[in-house]
Amino acid sequence: MVLVSSECQSAASIMSFADVACYSAKDMGRNKVHLYQASDASLRHEEMKWVSRITSAVEDKRLELFYQPIIGIGKKKSDTRGHYELLLRMRDENGALVSPDQFIPAAERYNLMSTLDRWVIHEALTQLADRNPESKQAKYTLAINLSGTSLSEDRFLDYVIDELGKCKLPNGAICFEITETAAISNLSRVVHFMQTLKQLGCKFSLDDFGSGLSSFTYLKNLPVDYLKIDGQFIRNVAEDRVDESMVRAINEVGRAMGIETIAERVESREVLDKLSALGVEYAQGYFIARPTSVQTFEPWADESFSRLA
């Protein structure tokens, strides 16, 4: 809602204020009425500044990839294949790292995520992925996050297919991570996307699993290889019986469907030991390793990580 008063300069400004109010209502959880306030415009103006900064960062080659290892635990402790999630970072004009929490929301709101996703895919496939022509199975896997915006774009699938065709990677070299929110918002399109790329040797991980209300209902329709259990259940799994029950349930459903589980945000030895006892196959988090620039990337399973498991 916008209050029309003598301060409104034109019909165009009123519509602009209404647009800002809509975005504010979405930010506060949707399904509500929000009355426009001057502070809303100030926040939106700051986000628009980020649009310019993100565009400049792409043009000036100030985007950077970090990686974080995913290790096998329990029965998968002996798995020697490397598995690494790639994380996008941006540097400002002075070379300082910018927190993803600052630029990703603006990129999502103003339709820049597809541009960022394409950049990550190109860099990962051409610079970092296992390109051993003598092996049909990759020695290590790179996990790439995809936004819901990219998955909804008509030409995005064609772009990924073209990039994969140029590199001819072994099976399992790339694993795309899709949040369950993005998956359920356009289920038929996402299923087609996944099925097409799985035929080209890609794997898929369903990220933040358990955060949605219909997780188990639609899971059987998605051809995923991994379930990444949402960090809200992992953080206190060693001391909270409800979280422990949720993790156990997700792991059992995954096992019944032939899907392996990954616990994210593992931050202590107690949590890692509990996950291993529950039968979770893989773990990722600060206790194992913090995200590190790919400038130091060594694409094989590090023994120091394996000892942690």
Side-chain angles (χ1 to χ4, degrees), residues 12 105 109 114 124 130 176 205 251 272:
R109 190 182 311 282
S114 179
D130 181 3
F176 290 109
S205 180
N251 191 62
L272 187 65

Side-chain angles (χ1 to χ4, degrees), residues 77-95:
K77 185 176 180 179
S78 59
D79 190 350
T80 58
R81 294 173 300 169
H83 193 159
Y84 308 90
E85 179 179 359
L86 296 180
L87 304 166
L88 180 63
R89 298 291 185 264
M90 187 180 93
R91 294 192 179 275
D92 63 19
E93 294 78 359
N94 299 316

Side-chain angles (χ1 to χ4, degrees), residues 40-240:
D40 298 335
S42 176
L43 177 61
R44 208 59 57 201
H45 181 66
E46 288 300 315
E47 288 188 338
M48 288 302 296
K49 287 183 179 179
W50 276 110
V51 172
S52 176
R53 294 184 66 183
I54 293 170
T55 302
S56 297
V58 174
E59 294 174 349
D60 298 341
K61 299 181 179 180
R62 285 187 281 105
L63 296 180
E64 187 175 343
L65 287 175
F66 276 47
Y67 72 97
Q68 188 175 30
I70 299 171
I71 66 169
I73 61 177
K75 294 181 179 180
K76 290 290 183 177
K77 185 176 180 179
S78 59
D79 190 350
T80 58
R81 294 173 300 169
H83 193 159
Y84 308 90
E85 179 179 359
L86 296 180
L87 304 166
L88 180 63
R89 298 291 185 264
M90 187 180 93
R91 294 192 179 275
D92 63 19
E93 294 78 359
N94 299 316
L97 279 173
V98 178
S99 170
D101 294 340
Q102 292 181 278
F103 71 90
I104 292 295
E108 291 176 337
R109 190 182 311 282
Y110 295 103
N111 299 318
L112 290 174
M113 281 308 301
S114 179
T115 298
L116 298 182
D117 285 348
R118 288 169 186 254
W119 183 88
V120 172
I121 290 171
H122 178 77
E123 289 295 308
L125 268 58
T126 59
Q127 304 296 327
L128 301 171
D130 181 3
R131 304 181 68 174
N132 183 1
E134 300 178 0
S135 176
K136 291 184 178 181
Q137 193 68 33
K139 294 181 179 179
Y140 62 94
T141 299
L142 298 180
I144 301 173
N145 292 281
L146 295 182
S147 67
T149 304
S150 296
L151 293 170
S152 300
E153 185 183 299
D154 291 336
R155 298 181 179 179
F156 186 74
L157 176 57
D158 292 335
Y159 172 80
V160 179
I161 293 173
D162 288 343
E163 290 294 305
L164 288 169
K166 295 175 184 176
C167 299
K168 301 185 183 304
L169 307 178
N171 291 335
I174 299 296
C175 176
F176 290 109
E177 293 198 0
I178 299 174
T179 64
E180 64 169 274
T181 303
I184 198 173
S185 64
N186 200 336
L187 191 59
S188 60
R189 180 188 287 268
V190 171
V191 169
H192 173 68
F193 184 94
M194 296 172 71
Q195 290 176 338
T196 301
L197 295 185
K198 281 180 75 72
Q199 292 176 1
L200 299 179
C202 297
K203 293 187 175 184
F204 281 88
S205 180
L206 195 59
D207 202 4
D208 299 335
F209 187 80
S211 60
L213 297 176
S214 305
S215 299
F216 294 108
T217 302
Y218 65 80
L219 177 59
K220 58 186 177 182
N221 298 315
L222 293 169
V224 299
D225 302 280
Y226 304 102
L227 291 179
K228 293 194 77 172
I229 305 174
D230 191 272
Q232 65 178 323
F233 301 121
I234 301 301
R235 188 179 300 108
N236 299 313
V237 69
E239 53 194 39
D240 189 301

